Amino acid sequence: AQSVTQPDIHITVSEGASLELRCNYSYGATPYLFWYVQSPGQGLQLLLKYFSGDTLVQGIKGFEAEFKRSQSSFNLRKPSVHWSDAAEYFCAGNDYKLSFGAGTTVTVRA
Amino acid sequence: NAGVTQTPKFRILKIGQSMTLQCTQDMNHNYMYWYRQDPGMGLKLIYYSVGAGITDKGEVPNGYNVSRSTTEDFPLRLELAAPSQTSVYFCASSYGLAGDVDGELFFGEGSRLTVL
C-alpha cells in the first residue's frame, strides 16, 4: 500500500486564485514529509519539508503546507497562483524509506 | 553550479539493445539515486549508492545495473531493453540519506527513454 497518497490527479486553477493540493499519509508515527515540484521538462525541486515542531511550514515560491496529525494530511497551499506555477507536484514521506505520491498536475488558466 | 547532469535527454532503443544513462554531480554528495517516473505512478527507486564502491537495489531494480567508481558519477546500465523500460529516468543526489533531515534530493533534468 502506498504510504503517501495524492487524491487529485489534475487541478485547474485561474491565475490569481488560491491553490490547495492534498496529501495524505498512512504511516504509524509522524513521518518526515516533503513537497517537490516538477516544472515541464525539468527535474524535481524541493518546495518545503516538515520534520517536527511548528505544523505550518513555509517554502520557496510562496508555498506553505500544514501538517495535521488528526487528518493524516500535509496539504500544500498558495494564496495566489501565477502562470509559472503550472507544474506537477509530488508529496513524499519518509518513515524508513522515502516514498513519493503519484503526483498532481496543476494547470493555470489566464 | 551544474548540479546533477544527465545524458542523454532522449533516446530510442530497439528491443534487446543495451545502453548506459550517464549521471554526474558536482556537489560532492555521497548519496546518489536513480528513479524512474511513469504516468500516475510517481517516482520509483531503481538503485541507489551511499558512496563510491557501494550500491544497493531499490524498489524496481530488475533489468538494470549500476556502478559507482567515483563520488561524482553514477551510470545506469540497461541490458536487453524491453518495452516495459520505456520511462523517464531521473538521477538525483543528496548530502544525507533521502528523506532524512539533511537528505534533500537534487535532481537532474531527466532522460526520456523509449523502447520499441
Side-chain angles (χ1 to χ4, degrees), chain A residues 32 34 36 38 41-44 46 49 51 88 90 94 98 100-102, chain B residues 35 37 40-43 59 90 98-101 103-105 107-109:
Chain A
Y32 294 166
F34 309 83
Y36 280 83
Q38 183 183 21
Q42 302 295 312
L44 281 72
L46 180 67
K49 56 192 175 187
F51 299 133
E88 190 161 16
F90 293 92
N94 182 40
L98 186 66
F100 286 86
Chain B
Y35 288 90
Q37 182 184 31
M41 301 296 291
L43 276 74
E59 300 174 74
F90 286 98
D100 276 354
V101 172
E104 175 182 351
L105 289 167
F107 285 84
E109 293 184 350

Side-chain angles (χ1 to χ4, degrees), chain B residues 24-108:
Chain B
T24 298
Q25 55 96 4
D26 63 358
M27 295 172 282
N28 202 32
H29 287 165
N30 281 327
Y31 295 86
M32 294 189 74
Y33 316 81
W34 276 104
Y35 288 90
R36 59 177 289 171
Q37 182 184 31
D38 300 297
M41 301 296 291
L43 276 74
K44 301 295 183 186
L45 182 64
I46 305 171
Y47 270 95
Y48 68 100
S49 170
V50 302
I54 307 171
T55 63
D56 207 348
K57 297 177 180 178
E59 300 174 74
V60 290
N62 292 343
Y64 307 95
N65 277 300
V66 293
S67 59
R68 184 93 182 272
S69 57
T70 66
T71 299
E72 294 78 20
D73 300 309
F74 190 42
L76 178 72
R77 178 81 176 164
L78 280 73
E79 304 281 3
L80 299 175
S84 61
Q85 293 178 303
T86 294
S87 187
V88 180
Y89 292 85
F90 286 98
C91 180
S93 71
S94 61
Y95 176 76
L97 182 62
D100 276 354
V101 172
D102 56 357
E104 175 182 351
L105 289 167
F106 293 84
F107 285 84

